[in-house]
Amino acid sequence: MTQLSTQPYKGTRDFFPADMRFREAMFAVMHKTVQSYGFEQIDAPIIEPIDIYLAKTSEEIVSQQIYSFTDRGERKVAIRPEMTPTVARMVAARFQETPKPIRWYSIPNVWRYEQPGKGRLREHWQLNCDIFGAPSEKLADLELLNLAIDLMRGYGASESHFKLYLSHRGILNGVLGGELKLPQEKWPAVARIMDKRAKIKPEAYAAMLAAEGVGEDKRQELDLFLNEKLDYIKKKSHLEGASYILETMQSLEEIGLSAYVEYDPSVVRGFDYYTGLVFEVFDAHPDNRRSLFGGGRYNNLVGAFGKESTNAVGFGMGDVTLEDFLRTHKLLGDVPRKVDLYIALMSDDFAPHAMNLANTLRGRGLRVEVSLGATKLGKQFQEAEKKAIPRVLILGEDEVKSGVYSVKTLATGEQVKLKATEI
RNA sequence: GCGGUCGUAGCUCAGCUGGUAGAGCACAGGUUUGUGGCACCUGGUGUCGCGGGUUCAAUCCCCGUCGAUCGCCCCA
């Protein structure tokens, strides 16, 4: 039999204690921030019937990037590539009995079969925050944008670290379909080219557009749309979403968030189910201008589950890109172990006494590690040192008899005698 | 999916134009028996990613494959 590999499956990660501490520290900010807005946590199975992705997730994801199989009962199932359809399913299931608006979040692991690269793995964890059934869609959008920015601030990031770019699906659709009079089947290709505009040469840009039926005059209109940004939609107030963006930008300024936000006409996002607001948060670092996470409004998804239709808006924030961001900007580094006291044993015979003492201290909230073998004292000190445990209690004959313990603080070398209640 | 780079002890790597391998760190033990961080001593493993080929001989050359990484495509 050949040696089994210790490597995790391609594009996935093992989480050793140090990795786990980092991940939990990231998640802790998520839980804290999101709960401070009244969001409630949910979870769901990692496997879903594949149908729930067929209708609304993008064609690309379903046909090429989904892990799917047929189970023993001939059911076609998929490992979730994203959480949104699941959340929509759960909302639809309990819609009537749940007080509106619904604010739910989750931190699921999601899977995509794709080429692993920087910031992209096959399995990652993704904070999902969604609001359903708000009386005012605009207010729900505002709160979600506020939350997205607050999350970043929760990690200590400021406007110099990231920027949130927002747009509205209706504007792009209106420009492509109305102003440029392009047939709808050309929209995705043109949107892709727009996305590349900054990276490619102007001639190449023009040539690619021409290939999609966007000639000289139409290209100039498109450039106006992309370059003039807010001024453009001020002129074209008839476009769906134009006044929405202007008003939202105004509100964001009143909330004091305008430093973090910009209107960017080229924000599109890949999912087919978006119907209104779309946004993406980018790393502001010059050599790392990558999308960190994003979201948008998807009003038609819940209705696909047959119950009542409801408005919905949400975003997903992945742990891989977030970790890159936090480490690049040194906003969150390695997280130390958190044990308060190490009890060293002079003899294994004192172990019951040690465990008893440890239980008492744990009852007071201390984290205590008891030595699991009376090796040389020096060894036990080294163990505590390596595990970054700040204090060591020495348990020998004298201590057991007197109930007064020698406790040494490793950082200072200071050693004092304490009763159990004083530790 | 395409191209570049890489894959040697637990980790980071060295190995000069092919002659079956080393360093640092880490780890374990010790420098005599109730005290760590320093220093010194001692110790071990590597099918040199995997499979095949060329060669008297391959870690080093060739092909394939798996994985990592960077760029592109795609995507978010």
Side-chain angles (χ1 to χ4, degrees), chain A residues 139-159:
Chain A
L139 294 190
D141 289 356
L142 267 182
E143 169 154 293
L144 202 78
L145 293 170
N146 194 357
L147 171 58
I149 292 165
D150 234 8
L151 267 166
M152 298 299 282
R153 294 198 291 202
Y155 292 106
S158 68
E159 68 266 29

Side-chain angles (χ1 to χ4, degrees), chain A residues 329-396:
Chain A
H329 294 287
K330 299 196 185 342
L331 293 170
L332 183 59
D334 293 331
V335 181
R337 294 180 88 230
K338 290 196 183 109
V339 177
D340 301 305
L341 181 72
Y342 181 90
I343 298 183
L345 293 176
M346 293 310 303
S347 159
D348 287 357
D349 295 340
F350 304 142
H353 188 108
M355 292 184 180
N356 202 352
L357 175 62
N359 284 343
T360 303
L361 298 173
R362 288 174 189 135
R364 300 215 318 262
L366 286 176
R367 288 159 295 206
V368 183
E369 238 180 84
V370 176
S371 169
L372 296 181
T375 53
K376 285 189 178 178
L377 246 200
K379 288 285 156 211
Q380 298 186 65
F381 268 89
Q382 282 176 6
E383 183 185 337
E385 179 80 22
K386 279 173 201 150
K387 291 182 168 179
I389 302 173
R391 294 196 300 164
V392 175
L393 181 149
I394 300 157
L395 193 63

Side-chain angles (χ1 to χ4, degrees), chain A residues 95-114:
Chain A
F95 189 72
Q96 296 195 355
E97 64 193 84
T98 309
K100 264 64 74 177
I102 298 168
R103 293 179 176 91
W104 283 355
Y105 81 98
S106 55
I107 311 180
N109 54 338
V110 296
W111 290 72
R112 287 194 193 170
Y113 194 88
E114 62 182 340

Side-chain angles (χ1 to χ4, degrees), chain A residues 25 38 92 133 181 223 244 298 315-316 318 350 407:
Chain A
K181 301 203 168 35
D223 284 342
Y244 167 89
Y298 53 100
F315 66 77
F350 304 142
V407 179

